[in-house]
Amino acid sequence: MSKPASPNIETRLFIGNKYKEAKQSEKITVINPFDQSIVTGAVSCAGPDDVDDAVEAAFAAAKGWAKTRPSERARLMLRLADLVEENSEELAALETMAMGAPLWITKHGATSMAEWFRYYAGWANKLPGETFLDPAEGTCKLSTYEPFGVCAGIAAWNGSLMFVGWKVAPAIAAGNTFVFKCSEKSPLGVLALGKLVIEAGFPPGVINFISGGAEAGHALASHMKIGKISFTGSSAAGRKVQVAAANSNLKQCSLELGGKSAAIVFEDAQLDNALDAMSMGFLVNSTQVCAATTRLLIHENIAETFVESLRSRFESIVLGDPKAPTSFMGPLVDKIQFDRVNGIIENGAKEPGVQVVTGGPSSKTKSGGFFVTPTIFLNPSTESTMWRDEIFGPVLCVRTFKDEDEAIELANDSKYGLGGSIYTSDISRALRVGAELKTGTVSINQGVIPDYCIPFGGWKESGTGREGGKAGIMAYLQSKTISVKLL
Ligand code: NAD
């Protein structure tokens, strides 16, 4: 039985600076993964008509926003960043009750969103162009960069507020308007942002938030008035988005997809640092993190002691109520994810030659929460599901290597190419091995951490396009060449 939303929980779509119910009667039910209580059964589920409304609102605002002085765009973005930070406790609580990450993580999501808005506000009046003056030929050629008009974003649930920063901030700084669809699994924090958009003073239609599932995502991907779409989610859904984009108006499409990143730990690594990164760092957000280094490659000479130390660190992780400050790890997002991850663990534990160092299959906790015990598998086959496929849960697979070449070969033997980490005290080795890894990001002596000032994105089936840094804003601009004959 669904219960009405509490008065503090916004469940309606935010379109043209107004909150409104979706036109279709279907609702999204948000279940708290800590205890399976129903948070609300009343979240609007956008259908194609609602997507049309949101795109029309963004379209109506697009001309005016593109002509708004960049310094004014920046001023509004900075104001929104401040408001997000001031309201970060409330936003974090809304995210936590829907997707189960501890408050310290969801609050970081809100403050990180604010930082992305601040960073891209700085770009608004620094967008480059190129000039080629050739008096001998009597020509001047210019290359300018212009916004697309309406852009859209579709996001996964594991960092909704952060993804607003990754997508909306560069797009609107560049002069586009935006329709952002949050995941049906974590809609509450994003919908609450609407009132802050109004308070910050944005004109209606510049930023629109809709909640909905695959149907709304497909309607965005195939919409004829959207010039660019940025998708964060699974490779399977990402492919469909790209096909829909191609089959409609060939809109530009960037895809931030899954990963199966490797961490390589050499004999000369600072072991405490590597152990911290591969335990606390690895288990952040219950490893529901696209760039987590879920395949650990450890030099055979240090494997035994390293894995033993890792085991004790995994076992000291505090799982608990995500609202409690003492909890490091919360539950997984929902029953689907719990059953999927547990199924992989159950089957993996039965594979010949595999050692379960710690963890193993989980049953639900007393609270009824979808907690999965942090698990380490030693020596899974390189053909096994757990070694090859993204698990998106707290499961680490470990294999040993003899030398650099073998480590590189194992690391690159994946259809994914999102990130990779190298732990060593030898900077030459770090750079040599880093140059060989077929991934969008390589981190030395730390986990893979996306940051607003540098591009982040995947190689191979981990995606196309980049978010962050100059590349992140250029992705929301199209070049125009102007040729002038000097008379
Ligand atoms: P998902 O693909 O199931 O859903 C992501 C979003 O796509 C949701 O908003 C969903 O409603 C929408 N969607 C689903 N089907 C669609 C379709 N046919 N057309 C358009 N939209 C559709 O992914 P998820 O379970 O929410 O997220 C987990 C996945 O996201 C993992 O694979 C993870 O690695 C990936 N991810 C990647 C990054 C990155 O930056 N590379 C970041 C976070 C998560």
Side-chain angles (χ1 to χ4, degrees), residues 264-325:
I264 305 175
V265 181
F266 288 99
E267 267 180 293
D268 61 355
Q270 285 190 21
L271 293 183
D272 271 339
N273 174 56
L275 284 163
D276 283 348
M278 291 309 303
S279 52
M280 305 277 278
F282 175 78
L283 293 167
V284 163
N285 208 7
S286 304
T287 321
Q288 298 168 116
V289 174
C290 55
T293 47
T294 49
R295 292 180 299 146
L296 169 60
L297 305 170
I298 176 95
H299 192 275
E300 59 183 9
N301 290 352
I302 55 167
E304 200 177 327
T305 48
F306 193 89
V307 171
E308 177 51 26
S309 303
L310 209 51
R311 182 191 62 72
S312 74
R313 285 173 192 240
F314 266 51
E315 288 172 2
S316 69
I317 292 290
V318 178
L319 279 71
D321 183 346
K323 294 189 296 306

Short mmCIF file of all heavy atoms in Angstrom, two decimals, residues 264-325:
data_model
loop_
_atom_site.label_atom_id
_atom_site.label_comp_id
_atom_site.label_asym_id
_atom_site.label_seq_id
_atom_site.Cartn_x
_atom_site.Cartn_y
_atom_site.Cartn_z
N ILE A 264 46.53 -2.08 -9.97
CA ILE A 264 47.76 -2.90 -9.99
C ILE A 264 48.61 -2.47 -8.81
O ILE A 264 48.98 -1.29 -8.70
CB ILE A 264 48.53 -2.67 -11.31
CG1 ILE A 264 47.62 -2.92 -12.53
CG2 ILE A 264 49.77 -3.54 -11.37
CD1 ILE A 264 48.28 -2.59 -13.88
N VAL A 265 48.92 -3.41 -7.93
CA VAL A 265 49.75 -3.09 -6.77
C VAL A 265 51.11 -3.77 -6.93
O VAL A 265 51.20 -5.01 -6.93
CB VAL A 265 49.08 -3.52 -5.45
CG1 VAL A 265 49.96 -3.15 -4.26
CG2 VAL A 265 47.71 -2.88 -5.31
N PHE A 266 52.16 -2.94 -7.09
CA PHE A 266 53.52 -3.47 -7.25
C PHE A 266 54.16 -3.68 -5.88
O PHE A 266 53.72 -3.11 -4.87
CB PHE A 266 54.35 -2.51 -8.11
CG PHE A 266 53.95 -2.53 -9.57
CD1 PHE A 266 53.10 -1.57 -10.10
CD2 PHE A 266 54.42 -3.55 -10.41
CE1 PHE A 266 52.73 -1.60 -11.44
CE2 PHE A 266 54.05 -3.58 -11.75
CZ PHE A 266 53.20 -2.62 -12.27
N GLU A 267 55.24 -4.45 -5.91
CA GLU A 267 55.97 -4.78 -4.68
C GLU A 267 56.44 -3.54 -3.92
O GLU A 267 56.55 -3.55 -2.70
CB GLU A 267 57.22 -5.59 -5.04
CG GLU A 267 57.07 -7.06 -5.03
CD GLU A 267 58.40 -7.70 -5.43
OE1 GLU A 267 58.80 -7.53 -6.61
OE2 GLU A 267 59.03 -8.33 -4.57
N ASP A 268 56.78 -2.48 -4.70
CA ASP A 268 57.36 -1.30 -4.07
C ASP A 268 56.30 -0.27 -3.66
O ASP A 268 56.62 0.88 -3.37
CB ASP A 268 58.37 -0.64 -5.03
CG ASP A 268 57.71 -0.18 -6.32
OD1 ASP A 268 56.50 -0.46 -6.50
OD2 ASP A 268 58.40 0.45 -7.15
N ALA A 269 55.03 -0.67 -3.67
CA ALA A 269 53.97 0.29 -3.31
C ALA A 269 54.03 0.62 -1.82
O ALA A 269 54.51 -0.19 -1.02
CB ALA A 269 52.61 -0.32 -3.62
N GLN A 270 53.58 1.82 -1.46
CA GLN A 270 53.38 2.12 -0.03
C GLN A 270 52.14 1.34 0.40
O GLN A 270 51.00 1.72 0.06
CB GLN A 270 53.18 3.61 0.17
CG GLN A 270 54.48 4.38 0.04
CD GLN A 270 54.33 5.83 0.48
OE1 GLN A 270 53.40 6.18 1.20
NE2 GLN A 270 55.22 6.66 0.02
N LEU A 271 52.35 0.27 1.12
CA LEU A 271 51.27 -0.71 1.27
C LEU A 271 50.08 -0.18 2.08
O LEU A 271 48.93 -0.49 1.77
CB LEU A 271 51.82 -2.00 1.88
CG LEU A 271 52.79 -2.73 0.94
CD1 LEU A 271 53.26 -4.05 1.54
CD2 LEU A 271 52.18 -2.99 -0.43
N ASP A 272 50.34 0.62 3.12
CA ASP A 272 49.21 1.14 3.89
C ASP A 272 48.30 2.01 3.04
O ASP A 272 47.08 1.95 3.14
CB ASP A 272 49.69 1.95 5.10
CG ASP A 272 49.89 1.03 6.30
OD1 ASP A 272 49.28 -0.07 6.29
OD2 ASP A 272 50.65 1.39 7.21
N ASN A 273 48.93 2.81 2.19
CA ASN A 273 48.16 3.66 1.28
C ASN A 273 47.31 2.80 0.34
O ASN A 273 46.12 3.05 0.15
CB ASN A 273 49.11 4.57 0.49
CG ASN A 273 48.38 5.38 -0.55
OD1 ASN A 273 47.44 6.11 -0.24
ND2 ASN A 273 48.77 5.23 -1.80
N ALA A 274 47.94 1.77 -0.25
CA ALA A 274 47.20 0.91 -1.18
C ALA A 274 46.09 0.16 -0.45
O ALA A 274 44.98 -0.01 -0.98
CB ALA A 274 48.17 -0.08 -1.83
N LEU A 275 46.37 -0.26 0.78
CA LEU A 275 45.35 -0.99 1.55
C LEU A 275 44.16 -0.09 1.88
O LEU A 275 43.00 -0.51 1.79
CB LEU A 275 45.97 -1.55 2.85
CG LEU A 275 46.84 -2.79 2.65
CD1 LEU A 275 47.74 -3.02 3.86
CD2 LEU A 275 45.98 -4.03 2.38
N ASP A 276 44.45 1.16 2.26
CA ASP A 276 43.34 2.10 2.54
C ASP A 276 42.47 2.28 1.30
O ASP A 276 41.24 2.24 1.36
CB ASP A 276 43.89 3.49 2.94
CG ASP A 276 44.40 3.49 4.38
OD1 ASP A 276 44.11 2.52 5.11
OD2 ASP A 276 45.09 4.47 4.74
N ALA A 277 43.15 2.50 0.17
CA ALA A 277 42.40 2.77 -1.07
C ALA A 277 41.57 1.56 -1.48
O ALA A 277 40.45 1.70 -1.97
CB ALA A 277 43.36 3.16 -2.19
N MET A 278 42.13 0.35 -1.26
CA MET A 278 41.43 -0.85 -1.72
C MET A 278 40.45 -1.40 -0.68
O MET A 278 39.80 -2.42 -0.93
CB MET A 278 42.46 -1.94 -2.10
CG MET A 278 43.27 -1.63 -3.34
SD MET A 278 42.30 -1.15 -4.81
CE MET A 278 41.20 -2.55 -5.02
N SER A 279 40.33 -0.74 0.47
CA SER A 279 39.33 -1.17 1.45
C SER A 279 38.32 -0.04 1.65
O SER A 279 37.27 -0.02 1.01
CB SER A 279 40.00 -1.60 2.76
OG SER A 279 40.87 -0.59 3.23
N MET A 280 38.66 0.96 2.50
CA MET A 280 37.74 2.08 2.73
C MET A 280 37.38 2.76 1.41
O MET A 280 36.21 3.02 1.12
CB MET A 280 38.39 3.14 3.63
CG MET A 280 38.91 2.64 4.94
SD MET A 280 37.62 2.52 6.17
CE MET A 280 37.53 4.20 6.73
N GLY A 281 38.39 3.06 0.61
CA GLY A 281 38.15 3.77 -0.66
C GLY A 281 37.28 2.93 -1.58
O GLY A 281 36.34 3.42 -2.19
N PHE A 282 37.60 1.64 -1.64
CA PHE A 282 36.89 0.73 -2.55
C PHE A 282 35.42 0.57 -2.15
O PHE A 282 34.53 0.45 -2.99
CB PHE A 282 37.60 -0.62 -2.53
CG PHE A 282 36.91 -1.70 -3.32
CD1 PHE A 282 37.02 -1.73 -4.70
CD2 PHE A 282 36.14 -2.66 -2.69
CE1 PHE A 282 36.38 -2.72 -5.44
CE2 PHE A 282 35.50 -3.65 -3.41
CZ PHE A 282 35.61 -3.68 -4.79
N LEU A 283 35.17 0.57 -0.84
CA LEU A 283 33.82 0.23 -0.35
C LEU A 283 32.89 1.45 -0.21
O LEU A 283 31.74 1.31 0.22
CB LEU A 283 33.92 -0.52 0.99
CG LEU A 283 34.57 -1.91 0.85
CD1 LEU A 283 34.95 -2.47 2.21
CD2 LEU A 283 33.64 -2.87 0.12
N VAL A 284 33.38 2.64 -0.58
CA VAL A 284 32.53 3.84 -0.53
C VAL A 284 31.26 3.59 -1.36
O VAL A 284 31.32 3.05 -2.45
CB VAL A 284 33.30 5.07 -1.07
CG1 VAL A 284 32.35 6.21 -1.41
CG2 VAL A 284 34.33 5.53 -0.06
N ASN A 285 30.14 3.97 -0.79
CA ASN A 285 28.83 3.82 -1.48
C ASN A 285 28.54 2.35 -1.80
O ASN A 285 27.93 2.04 -2.83
CB ASN A 285 28.78 4.67 -2.76
CG ASN A 285 27.36 5.11 -3.11
OD1 ASN A 285 26.43 4.89 -2.34
ND2 ASN A 285 27.20 5.72 -4.26
N SER A 286 29.03 1.45 -0.91
CA SER A 286 28.86 0.00 -1.10
C SER A 286 29.36 -0.44 -2.49
O SER A 286 28.83 -1.37 -3.10
CB SER A 286 27.39 -0.41 -0.94
OG SER A 286 26.90 -0.01 0.30
N THR A 287 30.40 0.28 -2.96
CA THR A 287 31.02 0.02 -4.27
C THR A 287 29.99 0.11 -5.41
O THR A 287 30.18 -0.48 -6.47
CB THR A 287 31.78 -1.33 -4.29
OG1 THR A 287 32.44 -1.52 -3.04
CG2 THR A 287 32.85 -1.35 -5.36
N GLN A 288 28.95 0.87 -5.20
CA GLN A 288 28.03 1.18 -6.31
C GLN A 288 28.62 2.42 -7.00
O GLN A 288 28.07 3.51 -6.95
CB GLN A 288 26.63 1.42 -5.77
CG GLN A 288 26.05 0.18 -5.06
CD GLN A 288 24.80 0.48 -4.28
OE1 GLN A 288 23.75 -0.02 -4.58
NE2 GLN A 288 24.89 1.33 -3.28
N VAL A 289 29.78 2.22 -7.55
CA VAL A 289 30.59 3.30 -8.12
C VAL A 289 31.13 2.80 -9.46
O VAL A 289 31.78 1.74 -9.51
CB VAL A 289 31.76 3.65 -7.16
CG1 VAL A 289 32.69 4.66 -7.81
CG2 VAL A 289 31.24 4.16 -5.83
N CYS A 290 30.86 3.57 -10.52
CA CYS A 290 31.23 3.10 -11.86
C CYS A 290 32.73 2.86 -12.00
O CYS A 290 33.16 1.93 -12.66
CB CYS A 290 30.77 4.10 -12.90
SG CYS A 290 31.39 5.77 -12.58
N ALA A 291 33.54 3.74 -11.37
CA ALA A 291 34.99 3.69 -11.59
C ALA A 291 35.72 2.87 -10.53
O ALA A 291 36.96 2.88 -10.49
CB ALA A 291 35.55 5.10 -11.64
N ALA A 292 34.99 2.15 -9.68
CA ALA A 292 35.65 1.36 -8.64
C ALA A 292 36.61 0.35 -9.27
O ALA A 292 36.30 -0.26 -10.29
CB ALA A 292 34.61 0.63 -7.81
N THR A 293 37.77 0.18 -8.66
CA THR A 293 38.74 -0.79 -9.19
C THR A 293 38.40 -2.17 -8.61
O THR A 293 38.94 -2.59 -7.59
CB THR A 293 40.18 -0.37 -8.84
OG1 THR A 293 40.24 -0.01 -7.46
CG2 THR A 293 40.63 0.80 -9.68
N THR A 294 37.50 -2.85 -9.29
CA THR A 294 36.94 -4.10 -8.77
C THR A 294 37.79 -5.32 -9.09
O THR A 294 37.48 -6.41 -8.65
CB THR A 294 35.52 -4.30 -9.34
OG1 THR A 294 35.58 -4.10 -10.76
CG2 THR A 294 34.56 -3.30 -8.75
N ARG A 295 38.85 -5.11 -9.89
CA ARG A 295 39.80 -6.22 -10.13
C ARG A 295 41.14 -5.78 -9.54
O ARG A 295 41.73 -4.79 -10.00
CB ARG A 295 39.96 -6.49 -11.63
CG ARG A 295 38.71 -7.06 -12.30
CD ARG A 295 38.94 -7.28 -13.78
NE ARG A 295 39.26 -6.07 -14.48
CZ ARG A 295 40.09 -5.98 -15.52
NH1 ARG A 295 40.70 -7.06 -15.98
NH2 ARG A 295 40.32 -4.82 -16.11
N LEU A 296 41.57 -6.49 -8.52
CA LEU A 296 42.86 -6.16 -7.89
C LEU A 296 43.93 -7.11 -8.42
O LEU A 296 43.81 -8.34 -8.31
CB LEU A 296 42.75 -6.29 -6.37
CG LEU A 296 44.06 -6.23 -5.59
CD1 LEU A 296 44.80 -4.90 -5.80
CD2 LEU A 296 43.81 -6.46 -4.10
N LEU A 297 44.99 -6.53 -8.99
CA LEU A 297 46.13 -7.32 -9.47
C LEU A 297 47.28 -7.04 -8.52
O LEU A 297 47.72 -5.89 -8.39
CB LEU A 297 46.49 -6.90 -10.90
CG LEU A 297 45.33 -6.98 -11.89
CD1 LEU A 297 45.69 -6.33 -13.22
CD2 LEU A 297 44.95 -8.44 -12.11
N ILE A 298 47.75 -8.08 -7.86
CA ILE A 298 48.75 -7.88 -6.82
C ILE A 298 49.99 -8.71 -7.13
O ILE A 298 49.87 -9.87 -7.56
CB ILE A 298 48.13 -8.26 -5.44
CG1 ILE A 298 49.12 -8.17 -4.30
CG2 ILE A 298 47.50 -9.62 -5.42
CD1 ILE A 298 49.05 -6.86 -3.62
N HIS A 299 51.17 -8.09 -6.96
CA HIS A 299 52.40 -8.83 -7.26
C HIS A 299 52.49 -10.06 -6.37
O HIS A 299 52.22 -10.01 -5.17
CB HIS A 299 53.63 -7.93 -7.06
CG HIS A 299 54.86 -8.57 -7.63
ND1 HIS A 299 55.62 -9.47 -6.91
CD2 HIS A 299 55.42 -8.48 -8.87
CE1 HIS A 299 56.61 -9.90 -7.69
NE2 HIS A 299 56.50 -9.31 -8.87
N GLU A 300 52.89 -11.19 -6.98
CA GLU A 300 52.83 -12.47 -6.26
C GLU A 300 53.67 -12.49 -4.98
O GLU A 300 53.33 -13.16 -4.02
CB GLU A 300 53.23 -13.63 -7.18
CG GLU A 300 54.63 -13.50 -7.74
CD GLU A 300 54.97 -14.65 -8.70
OE1 GLU A 300 54.08 -15.43 -9.06
OE2 GLU A 300 56.16 -14.72 -9.10
N ASN A 301 54.73 -11.68 -4.94
CA ASN A 301 55.59 -11.71 -3.75
C ASN A 301 54.94 -11.09 -2.51
O ASN A 301 55.37 -11.35 -1.39
CB ASN A 301 56.91 -10.98 -4.02
CG ASN A 301 57.77 -11.76 -4.98
OD1 ASN A 301 57.45 -12.89 -5.32
ND2 ASN A 301 58.85 -11.14 -5.45
N ILE A 302 53.97 -10.20 -2.72
CA ILE A 302 53.34 -9.55 -1.56
C ILE A 302 51.87 -9.96 -1.40
O ILE A 302 51.16 -9.46 -0.53
CB ILE A 302 53.45 -8.01 -1.63
CG1 ILE A 302 52.86 -7.49 -2.95
CG2 ILE A 302 54.87 -7.53 -1.43
CD1 ILE A 302 52.65 -5.97 -2.96
N ALA A 303 51.44 -10.88 -2.27
CA ALA A 303 50.00 -11.19 -2.32
C ALA A 303 49.47 -11.69 -0.98
O ALA A 303 48.43 -11.23 -0.49
CB ALA A 303 49.73 -12.21 -3.41
N GLU A 304 50.18 -12.63 -0.37
CA GLU A 304 49.63 -13.27 0.83
C GLU A 304 49.41 -12.26 1.95
O GLU A 304 48.32 -12.18 2.54
CB GLU A 304 50.57 -14.39 1.27
CG GLU A 304 49.87 -15.38 2.16
CD GLU A 304 50.78 -16.55 2.54
OE1 GLU A 304 51.63 -16.95 1.71
OE2 GLU A 304 50.64 -17.02 3.68
N THR A 305 50.45 -11.47 2.26
CA THR A 305 50.30 -10.51 3.36
C THR A 305 49.32 -9.40 3.00
O THR A 305 48.53 -8.96 3.85
CB THR A 305 51.66 -9.87 3.75
OG1 THR A 305 52.29 -9.43 2.54
CG2 THR A 305 52.56 -10.81 4.50
N PHE A 306 49.32 -8.97 1.75
CA PHE A 306 48.41 -7.89 1.35
C PHE A 306 46.96 -8.34 1.48
O PHE A 306 46.12 -7.64 2.05
CB PHE A 306 48.71 -7.46 -0.09
CG PHE A 306 48.05 -6.16 -0.48
CD1 PHE A 306 48.68 -4.94 -0.26
CD2 PHE A 306 46.78 -6.15 -1.06
CE1 PHE A 306 48.06 -3.74 -0.62
CE2 PHE A 306 46.16 -4.96 -1.42
CZ PHE A 306 46.81 -3.75 -1.19
N VAL A 307 46.66 -9.52 0.96
CA VAL A 307 45.27 -10.00 0.99
C VAL A 307 44.82 -10.24 2.43
O VAL A 307 43.68 -9.94 2.80
CB VAL A 307 45.12 -11.28 0.12
CG1 VAL A 307 43.76 -11.91 0.31
CG2 VAL A 307 45.34 -10.93 -1.35
N GLU A 308 45.73 -10.71 3.26
CA GLU A 308 45.37 -10.93 4.68
C GLU A 308 45.05 -9.58 5.36
O GLU A 308 44.06 -9.45 6.09
CB GLU A 308 46.53 -11.65 5.39
CG GLU A 308 46.36 -11.87 6.87
CD GLU A 308 45.02 -12.53 7.25
OE1 GLU A 308 44.44 -13.26 6.42
OE2 GLU A 308 44.55 -12.25 8.38
N SER A 309 45.85 -8.55 5.09
CA SER A 309 45.57 -7.23 5.67
C SER A 309 44.27 -6.66 5.13
O SER A 309 43.50 -6.01 5.84
CB SER A 309 46.69 -6.24 5.36
OG SER A 309 47.91 -6.73 5.82
N LEU A 310 44.04 -6.92 3.85
CA LEU A 310 42.79 -6.43 3.23
C LEU A 310 41.59 -7.11 3.90
O LEU A 310 40.57 -6.46 4.17
CB LEU A 310 42.84 -6.77 1.74
CG LEU A 310 42.08 -5.87 0.78
CD1 LEU A 310 42.44 -4.40 0.98
CD2 LEU A 310 42.41 -6.28 -0.66
N ARG A 311 41.72 -8.40 4.15
CA ARG A 311 40.63 -9.14 4.80
C ARG A 311 40.26 -8.48 6.12
O ARG A 311 39.09 -8.21 6.39
CB ARG A 311 41.04 -10.60 5.04
CG ARG A 311 39.93 -11.44 5.68
CD ARG A 311 40.42 -12.79 6.16
NE ARG A 311 41.45 -12.69 7.21
CZ ARG A 311 41.22 -12.32 8.45
NH1 ARG A 311 39.99 -12.02 8.85
NH2 ARG A 311 42.20 -12.22 9.32
N SER A 312 41.26 -8.18 6.95
CA SER A 312 40.92 -7.62 8.27
C SER A 312 40.31 -6.22 8.10
O SER A 312 39.43 -5.83 8.85
CB SER A 312 42.11 -7.65 9.22
OG SER A 312 43.01 -6.67 8.86
N ARG A 313 40.76 -5.47 7.11
CA ARG A 313 40.15 -4.15 6.90
C ARG A 313 38.71 -4.28 6.42
O ARG A 313 37.83 -3.54 6.85
CB ARG A 313 40.97 -3.34 5.89
CG ARG A 313 42.26 -2.82 6.52
CD ARG A 313 43.15 -2.18 5.48
NE ARG A 313 44.46 -1.94 6.04
CZ ARG A 313 45.04 -0.76 6.16
NH1 ARG A 313 44.42 0.33 5.76
NH2 ARG A 313 46.23 -0.64 6.68
N PHE A 314 38.46 -5.22 5.50
CA PHE A 314 37.08 -5.42 5.04
C PHE A 314 36.18 -5.79 6.24
O PHE A 314 35.06 -5.32 6.34
CB PHE A 314 37.03 -6.55 3.99
CG PHE A 314 37.10 -6.07 2.56
CD1 PHE A 314 38.10 -5.20 2.14
CD2 PHE A 314 36.17 -6.50 1.61
CE1 PHE A 314 38.17 -4.76 0.82
CE2 PHE A 314 36.23 -6.05 0.29
CZ PHE A 314 37.24 -5.20 -0.10
N GLU A 315 36.72 -6.63 7.11
CA GLU A 315 35.88 -7.12 8.22
C GLU A 315 35.65 -6.05 9.28
O GLU A 315 34.77 -6.19 10.14
CB GLU A 315 36.50 -8.39 8.81
CG GLU A 315 36.34 -9.56 7.84
CD GLU A 315 37.08 -10.83 8.23
OE1 GLU A 315 37.72 -10.85 9.31
OE2 GLU A 315 37.01 -11.80 7.44
N SER A 316 36.44 -4.97 9.26
CA SER A 316 36.24 -3.92 10.27
C SER A 316 35.28 -2.82 9.77
O SER A 316 34.95 -1.89 10.49
CB SER A 316 37.58 -3.30 10.64
OG SER A 316 38.05 -2.56 9.54
N ILE A 317 34.82 -2.95 8.54
CA ILE A 317 33.90 -1.92 7.98
C ILE A 317 32.55 -1.99 8.70
O ILE A 317 31.99 -3.08 8.88
CB ILE A 317 33.69 -2.17 6.46
CG1 ILE A 317 34.98 -1.90 5.70
CG2 ILE A 317 32.54 -1.35 5.91
CD1 ILE A 317 35.41 -0.46 5.62
N VAL A 318 32.05 -0.82 9.12
CA VAL A 318 30.78 -0.80 9.85
C VAL A 318 29.62 -0.61 8.87
O VAL A 318 29.49 0.42 8.21
CB VAL A 318 30.76 0.35 10.89
CG1 VAL A 318 29.42 0.40 11.62
CG2 VAL A 318 31.92 0.19 11.87
N LEU A 319 28.78 -1.65 8.79
CA LEU A 319 27.56 -1.55 8.00
C LEU A 319 26.44 -1.17 8.95
O LEU A 319 26.37 -1.69 10.07
CB LEU A 319 27.20 -2.91 7.37
CG LEU A 319 27.91 -3.35 6.10
CD1 LEU A 319 29.35 -3.70 6.34
CD2 LEU A 319 27.18 -4.53 5.49
N GLY A 320 25.56 -0.27 8.54
CA GLY A 320 24.48 0.07 9.44
C GLY A 320 23.53 1.08 8.85
O GLY A 320 23.57 1.39 7.65
N ASP A 321 22.68 1.61 9.74
CA ASP A 321 21.67 2.59 9.36
C ASP A 321 22.36 3.77 8.67
O ASP A 321 23.22 4.43 9.27
CB ASP A 321 20.94 3.05 10.63
CG ASP A 321 19.82 4.03 10.31
OD1 ASP A 321 19.78 4.55 9.18
OD2 ASP A 321 19.01 4.28 11.22
N PRO A 322 22.03 4.04 7.43
CA PRO A 322 22.74 5.13 6.73
C PRO A 322 22.53 6.50 7.38
O PRO A 322 23.27 7.44 7.08
CB PRO A 322 22.17 5.08 5.31
CG PRO A 322 20.93 4.26 5.38
CD PRO A 322 21.07 3.35 6.55
N LYS A 323 21.55 6.61 8.27
CA LYS A 323 21.35 7.89 8.96
C LYS A 323 22.30 8.03 10.15
O LYS A 323 22.48 9.11 10.70
CB LYS A 323 19.90 8.01 9.45
CG LYS A 323 18.87 8.10 8.33
CD LYS A 323 17.49 8.45 8.84
CE LYS A 323 16.86 7.41 9.74
NZ LYS A 323 16.76 6.03 9.24
N ALA A 324 22.89 6.92 10.59
CA ALA A 324 23.77 6.96 11.77
C ALA A 324 25.17 7.41 11.36
O ALA A 324 25.73 6.89 10.40
CB ALA A 324 23.83 5.58 12.41
N PRO A 325 25.75 8.36 12.10
CA PRO A 325 27.08 8.86 11.71
C PRO A 325 28.16 7.78 11.80
O PRO A 325 29.22 7.90 11.18
CB PRO A 325 27.36 9.99 12.72
CG PRO A 325 26.28 9.93 13.74
CD PRO A 325 25.18 9.06 13.25
#
